[in-house]
Amino acid sequence: MNLDDVSYLIEGSLAELGVEPGLCRGDKPGQWNITYKGSTVWIDVFNFPQHPDKYYFQVMSPLTRIPDRNQEAFFKNCLEINHGLYGSWISIKADWAYVLSLREADNLDKSEIDATLDRVAFYSSDYFGKLTFKFEGSWDPKPNDKPVNFN
C-alpha cells in the first residue's frame, strides 16, 4: 500500500469517529493528531529513504512522563502491563512513556485502523489513570513538559 491508499483508509476511519480529517492533519503528509477517548493520539504513515515503497502505520499516544522517583518500579509495572496488552505496547522514548502500535501498511484495512485507534486511545487513558494513581508523588513539576513524537 502507498501513502495515498493508507491515508484514504485513515481519513475514512476518522470521519466515522466524527472527526474532520482535514482539521487534524499534521505538518507532513501522513500525519494526523486527534483527541479520542480522552487521549491525545498521533497517527503516522511513513517510509524510510532506503525503502521508499514500503510504508508503515503507527498509532501512538503519550501516556505519562517517566517519574522522577520510583523509576525501577514504574518500568517493571509497565513491563507487566505490556504482557496483557493486545496489538500495542508501552514504549519509552526520552523522558516519556507512550502506548504504541506499529506495523507494515501492507494489507492494512479500515477495520484494523478502527481497532488500533480504539485500542491505543483506551489503553492510554486507562493506564494513565492507573499509573499516576499508583505512583502519585513520584513526579516533580516541570514547566513546558511535552511529549516528543517519534517522527
Side-chain angles (χ1 to χ4, degrees):
M1 296 186 85
N2 63 33
L3 178 61
D4 291 337
D5 295 334
V6 180
S7 295
Y8 177 80
L9 294 173
I10 290 169
E11 293 201 348
S13 183
L14 294 174
E16 283 187 12
L17 293 176
V19 174
E20 172 55 45
L23 298 177
C24 62
R25 287 187 188 122
D27 296 334
K28 299 176 186 173
Q31 294 180 336
W32 297 264
N33 305 303
I34 64 171
T35 300
Y36 181 50
K37 295 188 174 188
S39 297
T40 297
V41 178
W42 299 324
I43 306 162
D44 294 295
V45 178
F46 63 94
N47 62 355
F48 294 104
Q50 60 270 37
H51 299 287
D53 295 333
K54 184 156 186 77
Y55 282 87
Y56 297 87
F57 170 67
Q58 174 177 275
V59 178
M60 65 184 288
S61 178
L63 180 58
T64 184
R65 186 169 48 84
I66 304 300
D68 298 294
R69 288 170 294 291
N70 303 313
Q71 288 183 356
E72 184 177 335
F74 178 84
F75 292 140
K76 182 178 186 284
N77 200 254
C78 286
L79 285 171
E80 290 169 347
I81 291 169
N82 272 342
H83 186 74
L85 298 183
Y86 176 78
S88 59
W89 52 90
I90 296 175
S91 64
I92 306 295
K93 172 84 172 175
D95 294 331
W96 278 79
Y98 299 85
V99 176
L100 173 67
S101 178
L102 173 64
R103 62 155 285 185
E104 295 90 353
D106 290 342
N107 302 310
L108 182 66
D109 64 27
K110 191 181 148 313
S111 66
E112 187 170 357
I113 292 169
D114 295 345
T116 301
L117 292 174
D118 283 343
R119 191 177 301 122
V120 168
F122 172 79
Y123 287 153
S124 184
S125 179
D126 186 46
Y127 286 108
F128 170 79
K130 291 175 179 174
L131 289 167
T132 55
F133 177 78
K134 184 171 186 172
F135 293 95
E136 184 176 5
S138 296
W139 288 269
D140 295 332
K142 294 193 176 162
N144 300 321
D145 190 34
K146 294 184 179 182
V148 178
N149 195 330
F150 285 7
N151 290 330

